[in-house]
Amino acid sequence: MRTGMELADRYELAGLIGRGGMGEVWRATDRRLRRPVAVKILPLAAGADATEVARFRREAEIAAQLVHPGITTVFDVGEHHDGTQPLLFLVVTPPPREREGFSLCRLGFATGQPGP
């Protein structure tokens, strides 16, 4: 991933927020709605099958149903293919500037592990 990269002809990556065992979280812009977002990007392993993709999508659907001021809101989920490694991505509300690392890490978005 790199600054300026566009996912799904919609999300323009602006800067890396964090990196963990499962992937990376980027500050981005939703070009269609002209709003800031955070994008969690997970590279698909070479041997990944449809079950893994379906599980990721299902988890995103469940997370999108949660509404609470203490958690991020899920806006979108998708796949991106740019000729190299396929990627799964999850688009969520961006964290407040002063809490960006805290919010994403507490929710497991930066590390892939549940927060305390």
Side-chain angles (χ1 to χ4, degrees), residues 33-107:
L33 298 176
R34 298 180 185 181
R35 67 177 169 188
V37 295
V39 180
K40 179 180 180 179
I41 302 171
L42 301 147
L44 274 175
D49 61 13
T51 304
E52 292 177 61
V53 174
R55 185 182 68 202
F56 181 79
R57 285 184 175 280
R58 181 68 183 136
E59 289 175 5
E61 290 170 4
I62 292 167
Q65 295 175 31
L66 301 175
V67 178
H68 186 278
I71 62 172
T72 61
T73 301
V74 175
F75 292 135
D76 195 8
V77 63
E79 296 176 54
H80 179 79
H81 304 274
D82 66 354
T84 59
Q85 184 176 29
L87 307 169
L88 294 174
F89 65 89
L90 180 70
V91 181
V92 299
T93 51
R97 186 174 270 309
E98 66 276 5
R99 297 182 2 189
E100 65 189 22
F102 173 80
S103 296
L104 292 170
C105 288
R106 294 271 303 175
L107 295 173

Side-chain angles (χ1 to χ4, degrees), residues 2-64:
R2 68 188 184 303
T3 299
M5 181 178 174
E6 193 172 294
L7 297 175
D9 294 322
R10 181 171 180 175
Y11 305 105
E12 183 177 347
L13 303 182
L16 183 66
I17 295 173
R19 181 178 286 129
M22 293 181 64
E24 299 177 343
V25 177
W26 284 76
R27 184 177 300 106
T29 299
D30 178 341
R31 293 180 40 174
R32 185 175 302 150
L33 298 176
R34 298 180 185 181
R35 67 177 169 188
V37 295
V39 180
K40 179 180 180 179
I41 302 171
L42 301 147
L44 274 175
D49 61 13
T51 304
E52 292 177 61
V53 174
R55 185 182 68 202
F56 181 79
R57 285 184 175 280
R58 181 68 183 136
E59 289 175 5
E61 290 170 4
I62 292 167

